[in-house]
């Protein structure tokens, strides 16, 4: 069998970690045989499409950007609540020593409490546009070019985010990457006629239920029914299951971006993702893999 990995030189860089090279080799071979007609790409948003950090300074998540909208920023009760929730739950999300099955219930708690906290706030799309322009996090180097290539190649792209959908969509639009081939599944806000938020439109999507539950019966699912190869990109362990709801997917190549708790988390990331990129703030590896497949 030809050694595909050797044909993609960037995969031998020091920060590119691969546990099972034979499995990756097989998968690359199978996906490239299927070609672009059989391919779909699923991206997480926060810290996957956006950089994890710039010079050590972390980027704001979509929820954090949301909370900077003036009507949220000036609401002390709301600020105190979401700050308290993040302080309690974010370390749990990231802790490599807590098993995923224990994290699920706690993440459900976080998203439900967060939905409760935003209910009753009043804002407009103009507020969302402005806050996104103000705090817009940087997209990974090469992200715009990658999205443009995927659009030209007519490969369906899903941005699957447990963040705030309205912010995610606005950032994608403002960054000129929301091409016609891109769909977003996320927590979109539901508004009352007077502009008051009543909660999320659907049941919350959190970092560990971003899978079959949220993807079935969506436009994207129908669009990719005959595409049985997927590349999945994420920064959280839960992101690796983003294509789980697509039973027809035979080859799912998982690429994980790892930045926090590198030493502790690396073994789990290597077990979960086919390619692990350690502190890599670019789209260079996904683009090289795509260029090989096309
Ligand atoms: P992702 O699926 O796009 O990575 O986004 C989910 C992130 O949002 C996750 O890391 C937790 C974070 N988050 C907040 O910062 N504040 C909140 O209120 C909630 C519910 C999640």
């Amino acid at each position: 069998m030809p050694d595909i990995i050797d044909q993609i030189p960037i995969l031998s860089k020091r920060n590119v970690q691969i546990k099972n090279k034979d499995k990756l080799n097989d998968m690359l071979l199978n996906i490239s045989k299927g070609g672009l007609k059989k391919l779909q790409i699923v991206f997480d948003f926060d810290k996957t499409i956006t950089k994890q950090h710039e010079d050590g300074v972390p980027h704001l998540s979509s929820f954090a950007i949301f909370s900077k909208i003036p009507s949220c920023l000036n609401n002390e009760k709301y600020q105190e609540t979401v700050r308290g929730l993040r302080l309690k739950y974010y370390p749990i999300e990231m802790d490599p020593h807590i098993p995923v099955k224990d994290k699920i219930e706690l993440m459900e708690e976080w998203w439900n409490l967060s939905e409760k906290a935003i209910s009753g706030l009043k804002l407009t799309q103009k507020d969302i546009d402005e806050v996104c322009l103000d705090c817009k996090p940087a997209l990974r180097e090469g992200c715009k070019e990658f999205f443009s290539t995927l659009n030209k190649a007519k490969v369906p792209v899903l941005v699957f985010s447990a963040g705030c959908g309205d912010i995610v969509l606005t950032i994608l639009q403002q960054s000129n990457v929301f091409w016609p081939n891109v769909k977003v599944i996320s927590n979109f806000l539901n508004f009352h006629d007077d502009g008051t938020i009543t909660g999320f439109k659907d049941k919350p999507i959190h970092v560990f239920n971003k899978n079959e539950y949220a993807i079935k019966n969506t436009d994207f699912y129908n669009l990719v029914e005959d595409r049985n190869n997927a590349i999945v990109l994420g920064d959280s362990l839960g992101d690796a299951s983003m294509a789980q709801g697509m039973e027809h997917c035979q080859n799912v190549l998982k690429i994980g971006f790892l930045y926090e708790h590198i030493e502790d988390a690396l073994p789990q990331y290597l077990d979960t993702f086919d390619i692990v990129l350690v502190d890599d703030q670019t789209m260079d590896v996904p683009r090289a893999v795509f260029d090989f497949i096309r």
Side-chain angles (χ1 to χ4, degrees), residues 119-186:
S119 299
L121 296 172
K122 204 169 171 178
L123 50 100
T124 63
Q125 179 60 42
K126 188 164 169 273
D127 293 324
I128 296 177
D129 291 341
E130 284 174 2
V131 81
C132 290
L133 280 176
D134 273 357
C135 347
K136 191 154 72 181
L139 305 194
R140 279 179 191 280
E141 302 297 333
C143 193
K144 279 189 190 180
E145 293 79 357
F146 193 23
F147 270 65
S148 169
T149 307
L150 293 172
N151 177 51
K152 283 187 194 129
K154 296 191 166 54
V155 172
V157 168
L158 172 63
V159 177
F160 201 176
S161 170
C164 175
D166 302 66
I167 298 283
V168 169
L169 182 60
T170 303
I171 292 173
L172 294 174
Q173 285 168 333
Q174 289 178 353
S175 308
N176 299 318
V177 295
F178 190 58
W179 295 103
N181 62 324
V182 179
K183 298 267 179 274
V184 180
I185 299 179
S186 185

Side-chain angles (χ1 to χ4, degrees), residues 44-46 61 63 86 90 93 110-111 114 161-163 210:
D44 162 57
F45 180 76
D46 283 315
S61 71
F63 272 118
R86 196 176 160 80
Y90 187 67
E93 179 193 341
W110 186 8
W111 263 255
S114 174
S161 170
K210 285 166 73 170

Side-chain angles (χ1 to χ4, degrees), residues 95-97 258 260-269:
D95 191 334
H97 303 294
L258 174 60
E260 284 176 65
H261 304 290
I262 292 173
E263 227 166 88
D264 274 359
L266 187 59
Q268 255 180 313
Y269 271 67

